[in-house]
Amino acid sequence: MNDFSSDAANVASTRPRARLGLALLLYFHVFACCLSLVYVAEFYVGLQIAFFDTARLYAAALNAALFSLVSVVFTFSRFSFGYFLGFYLYTLILGYLWLVEFSKFPYDHTIAAVSAFVSALAFLVPALFVTAPIRQRFVLSTRSLENLLSAILIFAATVIVAGALYNFKMVGLAEMYAFRGELEFPAWLRYAIGVTSNALLPFAFACFVARGNRWRAAAVLLLMLLFYPIMLTKLALFAPFWLLFLALLSRFFAARVSVVLSLFFPILSGVILALLVRPGALRIEQIVPYFGAINFRMIAFPSVALDFYSDFFSTHRLTYFCQILFLKPFVDCPYTEYLSVVMARTYQLGNLNASLFATEGIASVGPMLAPLPAFACGLVIALANRLSSGLPSKFIMLSGGILPQVFLNVPLATTLLTGGAAILFLLWYITPRSMFQEEDSDVARTA
């Protein structure tokens, strides 16, 4: 049977033995994350943003151990986009609950930790367990889908050309920060770049993989790579390789295991490199390109950002969602600049974007009420689950593969509107499920 068009593996993964294996993997993931954060604190001590103190080790370990109990929801829930995103945000909160015990900031750490714990639960419950399908009232025909995919490739090429007219610099990762501050794109182009790179091209890639069209799938990855000299971000550079990594995982593992391994393998690799520094087998300078990109920037920094937002809004006025563009005219906003700019000016770490827990939560209503917007955000992701219901797990994972990375560092409202998430959810809704059923029939006839 074609594993792309069938979710038999996902059904099988609900068996007790598979659940036990997944639970053990989740606990190994928790341990790897905590050990990774110890090395982040050691290697980046000069930045003064993450710390480790053996005197507070017991408290940090207790936080992580208690929160690890939440991972049981990932063993009993089925795969969905909410499962995919929920696991990434679970890892973010896990990191924060470890780091908060070593935080240098004077805000109330106990209240903040409890708020983060409850916010994670409030988000995960609807995001993982609300998956009932919504009736498709409009479905693309196979021919219309083919035309749409061709249009996406043409549109992406057009956006790349337009972006290159404003900026196109072939620079390394070390040099990109020197130029990124100079980037200026018109609003329409910023929206087009975000939607195309985060949603349209991954959707096209998943469709081409599903249809066995490898050359067009490769063309999509090449187009995605061309966004790097325009945007000068790590995500733009690594996005095509990330989709290939997800495709490889989903080929050999069940959907839920693939989700966990998609973070566990990269984190564990960084930890192994860090362990080799201790006996002198490697120097810190040799592992920084990997450890800095994955263990520090991708995994630890979203948790660190929550620490900074918690500190800032413990002494400054809350936004009450005025950072959301269409709400700003109706709310008295104490900030005239983007929150990322406000935070950059305060903490001197560059533009400090953060996840929904920091922006829709802490920044908007404070730690006491933060679980309420987290629950609302979970309902939004639950809607995405319902819109994608009936699609194969692998298709959802590949087409939505970039969005969890975006959600780690960007508010939900921004990701929906400018990051392309809302458009991807709509594409899931109108995608013909018959396309995958036909492939199953073809495989059955030739078996």
Side-chain angles (χ1 to χ4, degrees):
M1 181 174 287
N2 191 320
D3 63 347
F4 197 89
S5 53
S6 173
D7 278 341
N10 193 35
V11 174
S13 66
T14 61
R15 296 171 183 167
R17 185 176 178 181
R19 284 176 178 166
L20 177 60
L22 181 59
L24 290 174
L25 178 60
L26 286 164
Y27 284 113
F28 280 125
H29 172 75
V30 170
F31 179 76
C33 285
C34 295
L35 187 55
S36 175
L37 290 170
V38 172
Y39 285 114
V40 166
E42 178 181 338
F43 295 162
Y44 294 90
V45 63
L47 293 181
Q48 295 289 296
I49 61 174
F51 301 89
F52 177 73
D53 181 358
T54 54
R56 300 294 301 168
L57 175 60
Y58 176 79
L62 181 61
N63 282 354
L66 290 174
F67 192 61
S68 69
L69 299 177
V70 174
S71 66
V72 70
V73 299
F74 294 104
T75 66
F76 286 95
S77 56
R78 289 178 176 272
F79 176 84
S80 63
F81 177 70
Y83 188 102
F84 192 7
L85 174 59
F87 180 70
Y88 278 57
L89 294 181
Y90 164 85
T91 302
L92 183 159
I93 296 297
L94 171 66
Y96 174 71
L97 291 175
W98 174 273
L99 290 171
V100 71
E101 291 299 331
F102 310 109
S103 174
K104 67 177 181 179
F105 298 122
Y107 65 88
D108 192 320
H109 295 165
T110 301
I111 291 178
V114 172
S115 174
F117 195 114
V118 178
S119 294
L121 285 175
F123 176 85
L124 289 173
V125 169
L128 266 62
F129 296 103
V130 179
T131 58
I134 294 178
R135 181 182 177 185
Q136 285 183 286
R137 297 187 179 277
F138 177 80
V139 184
L140 291 175
S141 65
T142 302
R143 185 177 184 84
S144 296
L145 178 62
E146 181 65 32
N147 292 336
L148 174 62
L149 295 176
S150 297
I152 288 175
L153 295 181
I154 295 171
F155 180 72
T158 303
V159 171
I160 289 170
V161 171
L165 295 177
Y166 287 89
N167 178 74
F168 194 90
K169 292 184 174 66
M170 298 298 294
V171 298
L173 292 176
E175 294 82 27
M176 71 178 185
Y177 297 105
F179 297 99
R180 200 161 68 188
E182 304 172 2
L183 300 184
E184 290 187 12
F185 299 111
W188 68 267
L189 185 54
R190 287 200 308 272
Y191 282 100
I193 289 174
V195 169
T196 304
S197 58
N198 297 331
L200 295 182
L201 286 177
F203 175 80
F205 176 75
C207 287
F208 292 140
V209 171
R211 296 153 68 94
N213 197 323
R214 296 182 179 180
W215 288 109
R216 298 188 81 182
V220 169
L221 297 180
L222 178 60
L223 288 172
M224 294 182 70
L225 191 60
L226 289 175
F227 276 102
Y228 170 70
I230 296 171
M231 301 168 63
L232 298 180
T233 65
K234 287 188 177 74
L235 182 58
L237 178 60
F238 293 124
F241 304 101
W242 184 256
L243 288 185
L244 282 175
F245 175 56
L246 293 178
L248 185 64
L249 286 176
S250 60
R251 181 176 179 85
F252 294 102
F253 300 99
R256 300 187 305 169
V257 175
S258 295
V259 168
V260 179
L261 291 178
S262 70
L263 287 185
F264 177 67
F265 278 160
I267 293 171
L268 181 63
S269 299
V271 169
I272 292 173
L273 291 175
L275 288 171
L276 292 175
V277 171
R278 286 289 176 87
L282 291 174
R283 299 191 308 274
I284 292 180
E285 295 78 11
Q286 292 176 304
I287 74 167
V288 160
Y290 181 91
F291 190 91
I294 303 299
N295 297 68
F296 174 59
R297 184 61 188 88
M298 174 180 157
I299 304 299
F301 202 79
S303 302
V304 170
L306 187 54
D307 185 38
F308 280 92
Y309 273 71
S310 296
D311 174 64
F312 182 86
F313 286 100
S314 68
T315 57
H316 292 77
R317 291 177 60 189
L318 302 175
T319 67
Y320 297 105
F321 304 104
C322 73
Q323 75 273 14
I324 300 176
L325 188 61
F326 64 86
L327 292 179
K328 200 161 191 172
F330 307 101
V331 181
D332 180 24
C333 196
Y335 309 101
T336 58
E337 300 173 300
Y338 290 115
L339 282 184
S340 59
V341 177
V342 173
M343 301 296 287
R345 189 171 58 250
T346 304
Y347 296 103
Q348 302 298 309
L349 284 173
N351 285 1
L352 194 59
N353 287 305
S355 67
L356 63 91
F357 295 115
T359 49
E360 279 92 353
I362 297 297
S364 296
V365 295
M368 299 299 291
L369 296 179
L372 296 179
F375 179 72
C377 292
L379 290 176
V380 173
I381 301 306
L383 176 61
N385 293 343
R386 301 188 66 191
L387 294 173
S388 62
S389 181
L391 292 172
S393 312
K394 184 175 178 180
F395 182 85
I396 296 172
M397 186 181 299
L398 293 184
S399 58
I402 303 302
L403 286 182
Q405 298 282 357
V406 178
F407 273 106
L408 285 176
N409 298 284
V410 181
L412 180 135
T414 303
T415 306
L416 285 176
L417 300 176
T418 64
I423 290 179
L424 180 61
F425 299 163
L426 177 61
L427 289 173
W428 283 341
Y429 176 66
I430 64 176
T431 297
R433 274 56 172 173
S434 60
M435 174 177 74
F436 307 102
Q437 295 168 1
E438 289 168 3
E439 288 182 1
D440 266 341
S441 299
D442 292 340
V443 172
R445 284 195 294 268
T446 57

